[in-house]
Amino acid sequence: MLLPTEIKYDLKTKILAQEIHSYKVLKSTNDLAFALAEASAPEGTLVLAEKQNKGKGRLGRSWFSPPQLGIWMSVILRPALLPSQAPGLSLAASLALVLTTKELTGLEAFIKWPNDVIVNKKKFCGILTELSAELDKINFVILGVGINVNHTQKDFPESLRNMATSLRVETGSKISRIDFLKRFLEKFEKIYLQYRKTGLLTLKDECLRHFYLLGKKVKVQVGIEIFEGKAENLDENGALILRTKEGLKTIT
């Protein structure tokens, strides 16, 4: 079980997970974290669930969240940033996940823009950032993270087996969820504090080293528009720079 006392034991963070709300079952950790943030919960508050009944992915998709196999979590962030800078927080979290995965398992993980982390071309982690903001300032950001840790292949529905994986499937052995979570929180806090100062500028080279789409031909749908081109770079806010027939386009 992901118990707060175990998570906090020897945890080397100053902001993240100083306050933890842990549940056996929740509809969605993001929903509860959003409500807590609106009620003035402090920055770094962590919400965890062993199981989500309605885990959320991007664009209204669902996230498969069975009990005691993964890490289903949301963190409240209150950065003094412009709303346009918020998307880069997904990449900052992705980078922390890539580094944690390499350190704990030896696996080479990659950032798949805008909000997935993959191993061997299969997704094992998704990130959903939700925002409360005004025109010129962020009130708070909810960073939702779902990590497939100890699923076996048969734990996934058939519809997901070709596209989803877990750290256990890829390594052949069980991984300590507590260890993974603590290391992720420690790495993400360092990256997050740097992002608050400089945006993605000082982190971009490392993100690009682990960037799955770099140099690949991609098709990106934004609303009803579809852009095709080669993924060439990231900007300081985490937007994708795409080389199209019409020239460079920045895709947020």
Side-chain angles (χ1 to χ4, degrees):
M1 299 287 286
L2 295 172
L3 299 174
T5 49
E6 289 197 43
I7 296 165
K8 287 185 176 184
Y9 178 73
D10 203 27
L11 179 68
K12 297 174 180 65
T13 60
K14 293 180 179 177
I15 300 170
L16 302 184
Q18 298 305 297
E19 182 175 311
I20 300 175
H21 298 258
S22 180
Y23 296 83
K24 284 189 176 179
V25 182
L26 275 180
K27 177 183 167 187
S28 157
T29 59
N30 261 35
D31 285 352
L32 179 57
F34 205 97
L36 289 170
E38 288 185 317
S40 302
E43 181 172 49
T45 297
L46 174 65
V47 177
L48 287 163
E50 285 293 346
K51 177 184 177 182
Q52 293 182 111
N53 287 328
K54 292 189 177 179
K56 295 196 291 187
R58 205 167 59 91
L59 303 176
R61 300 177 184 129
S62 61
W63 183 268
F64 178 63
S65 314
Q68 298 185 1
L69 295 177
I71 299 170
W72 324 125
M73 59 174 277
S74 298
V75 180
I76 298 172
L77 303 175
R78 298 186 182 276
L81 299 171
L82 294 171
S84 60
Q85 296 174 285
L89 290 169
S90 289
L91 290 177
S94 296
L95 178 59
L97 285 159
V98 165
L99 298 176
T100 303
T101 300
K102 176 69 173 175
E103 188 176 281
L104 258 183
T105 70
L107 293 170
E108 294 287 347
F110 294 92
I111 300 166
K112 188 177 179 186
W113 188 91
N115 70 327
D116 294 342
V117 185
I118 62 172
V119 165
N120 290 330
K121 300 182 181 180
K122 289 186 175 182
K123 177 173 173 174
F124 79 97
C125 177
I127 296 166
L128 177 67
T129 46
E130 296 187 297
L131 184 68
S132 170
E134 297 166 38
L135 278 175
D136 59 347
K137 73 170 188 135
I138 290 172
N139 297 323
F140 59 82
V141 175
I142 305 302
L143 183 83
V145 183
I147 309 165
N148 298 337
V149 182
N150 285 323
H151 304 58
T152 63
Q153 195 70 30
K154 66 181 182 183
D155 289 318
F156 291 106
E158 264 190 56
S159 60
L160 294 179
R161 288 177 190 173
N162 289 331
M163 61 184 80
T165 191
S166 74
L167 297 176
R168 182 178 181 180
V169 168
E170 298 301 327
T171 62
S173 58
K174 291 186 81 169
I175 306 293
S176 165
R177 293 185 301 153
I178 291 282
D179 284 352
F180 193 98
L181 175 57
K182 288 169 71 169
R183 292 203 200 191
F184 165 71
L185 290 169
E186 290 168 357
K187 288 189 186 306
F188 178 60
E189 180 167 290
K190 288 180 184 175
I191 291 170
Y192 170 63
L193 292 175
Q194 184 62 47
Y195 187 84
R196 287 199 319 198
K197 292 178 184 174
T198 62
L200 212 60
L201 284 175
T202 54
L203 301 166
K204 192 169 77 165
D205 286 349
E206 194 159 19
C207 284
L208 288 172
R209 277 197 293 275
H210 305 284
F211 199 61
Y212 180 69
L213 299 182
L214 190 64
K216 291 183 168 67
K217 290 183 179 179
V218 297
K219 185 185 291 187
V220 184
Q221 183 171 344
V222 182
I224 60 169
E225 288 190 279
I226 294 177
F227 300 98
E228 292 188 59
K230 187 162 80 171
E232 194 155 291
N233 208 338
L234 295 166
D235 77 2
E236 67 273 16
N237 296 325
L240 179 67
I241 297 175
L242 201 64
R243 183 168 292 282
T244 70
K245 291 177 181 176
E246 294 76 36
L248 292 178
K249 285 196 179 295
T250 301
I251 313 292
T252 58

